[in-house]
Amino acid sequence: PTLPTGYTHWAYAGAIGLNGSTQIVANKLRGAWTSYNNSNTVLTGGTATSATLVSLTAAVPDGALTVRLRIRVDTTNNDNDHQCRIWHTAGAEDYLVIDPVGSGQSGYRLVFTTEIPNNGEQLFYRFPSGMTGAGLTLDVLGYEMPVAS
């Protein structure tokens, strides 16, 4: 940015969002990271068996470098195809492969947190055709913005 006369440095303080009522969304800023006080669910019970786009625009601002996700996989049945996949670039299905159980296992819930690069405020997923149950839930917990001086 163009700085006023006499100023030599600037810092990006952070990016915060507004809800549908133009109120600031409750969050915490620490360094380059913004963490939501309450998670933003971007997918609930996803069971698409082919590559499916999930928009993150309601939870991640333009320019964010990294997205922190809580991922939950629920199933009541499992067949031989048990790899749930999440990726951030079209066609790159091997970014995050969730393969928690062996063939024939059933009835589990796997919950974990991870960080993925932000690529256009979107990601893709594919739920295995052999699984039945609640599916995939994705919550955005926060995001990292660039820091400059």
Side-chain angles (χ1 to χ4, degrees):
T2 303
L3 300 176
T5 303
Y7 287 81
T8 59
H9 293 78
W10 70 277
Y12 191 86
I16 56 175
L18 303 175
N19 65 15
S21 302
T22 66
Q23 299 166 324
I24 294 176
V25 175
N27 61 62
K28 296 176 183 71
L29 299 172
R30 183 173 182 161
W33 281 93
T34 299
S35 298
Y36 291 113
N37 289 4
N38 299 303
S39 63
N40 285 302
T41 302
V42 293
L43 178 68
T44 302
T47 57
T49 57
S50 60
T52 302
L53 175 80
V54 177
S55 174
L56 304 178
T57 56
V60 179
D62 185 34
L65 300 174
T66 310
V67 179
R68 184 172 290 142
L69 292 172
R70 178 174 48 229
I71 298 171
R72 188 177 84 201
V73 180
D74 290 302
T75 184
T76 56
N77 181 39
N78 183 37
D79 200 349
N80 291 327
D81 180 13
H82 52 269
Q83 291 184 339
C84 183
R85 295 171 181 263
I86 298 170
W87 63 99
H88 57 84
T89 303
E93 281 197 38
D94 290 334
Y95 184 76
L96 179 60
V97 178
I98 305 164
D99 191 0
V101 297
S103 175
Q105 301 295 315
S106 63
Y108 71 90
R109 170 178 280 174
L110 176 66
V111 182
F112 64 97
T113 301
T114 191
E115 296 169 2
I116 66 168
N118 179 32
N119 187 3
E121 295 76 50
Q122 65 184 17
L123 55 79
F124 302 86
Y125 84 96
R126 181 174 60 82
F127 200 74
S129 60
M131 285 184 176
T132 59
L136 178 67
T137 299
L138 301 172
D139 299 318
V140 174
L141 303 178
Y143 50 87
E144 178 188 27
M145 294 300 291
V147 178
S149 63

